[in-house]
Amino acid sequence: MAPLVWSAALEIGHTEIDNDHRAMVGLLNRLQEASERSDRLATQALLVELETLTRDHFAREEQLMLDIHYEFSARHQKEHVHLFDEVRAQIEEMNEGIVSAAAIAGFIKRWLIDHVETSDRQLATALARWRSNPL
């Protein structure tokens, strides 16, 4: 799979969220490269780093949703939980030799693009509305 190139199309207009997404893209590309080199130690370290970044990012997003009383926060948080559950299952399958880290990176890349284009764009709209008219 080709590396994911960061572009303006992936930006939602919120600096902190965009910076997190940019960092995730970089980690996912490094994860894919490590997997293609069959570098198990780097793969495992990158998965841990990606998990930490993703968990911190989700916490930041969820705090923003609380701050603005975002009406779709429950659904958005459910998407976050679903990603973690799915990735944990795939990591177990990787450890059993069923899937590769590159496949996991590909899954997360596709998820990230879809999530940014839908849920995060909706959140960005709500954040912009709130910034222009806070309660």
Side-chain angles (χ1 to χ4, degrees), residues 29-45:
N29 288 334
R30 289 173 49 210
L31 175 62
Q32 183 174 329
E33 291 168 6
S35 176
E36 290 169 357
R37 290 190 318 268
S38 299
D39 186 338
R40 189 161 177 82
L41 289 176
T43 296
Q44 290 172 332

Side-chain angles (χ1 to χ4, degrees), residues 78-91:
K78 191 174 185 178
E79 291 175 16
H80 291 169
V81 170
H82 178 71
L83 173 68
F84 266 111
D85 290 346
E86 181 60 33
V87 170
R88 271 192 215 104
Q90 288 188 27
I91 289 171

Side-chain angles (χ1 to χ4, degrees), residues 35 40 43 47 86-105 107 110:
S35 176
R40 189 161 177 82
T43 296
L47 281 168
E86 181 60 33
V87 170
R88 271 192 215 104
Q90 288 188 27
I91 289 171
E92 287 178 23
E93 290 178 350
M94 180 190 74
N95 292 334
E96 295 170 7
I98 298 170
V99 299
S100 68
I104 296 171
F107 167 78
R110 288 184 300 277

Side-chain angles (χ1 to χ4, degrees), residues 12 14-21 57 61 64 123 127:
I12 65 165
H14 187 279
T15 303
E16 190 173 31
I17 293 173
D18 287 337
N19 287 343
D20 283 350
H21 289 163
H57 168 70
E61 274 191 4
L64 286 168
L123 175 57
L127 286 165

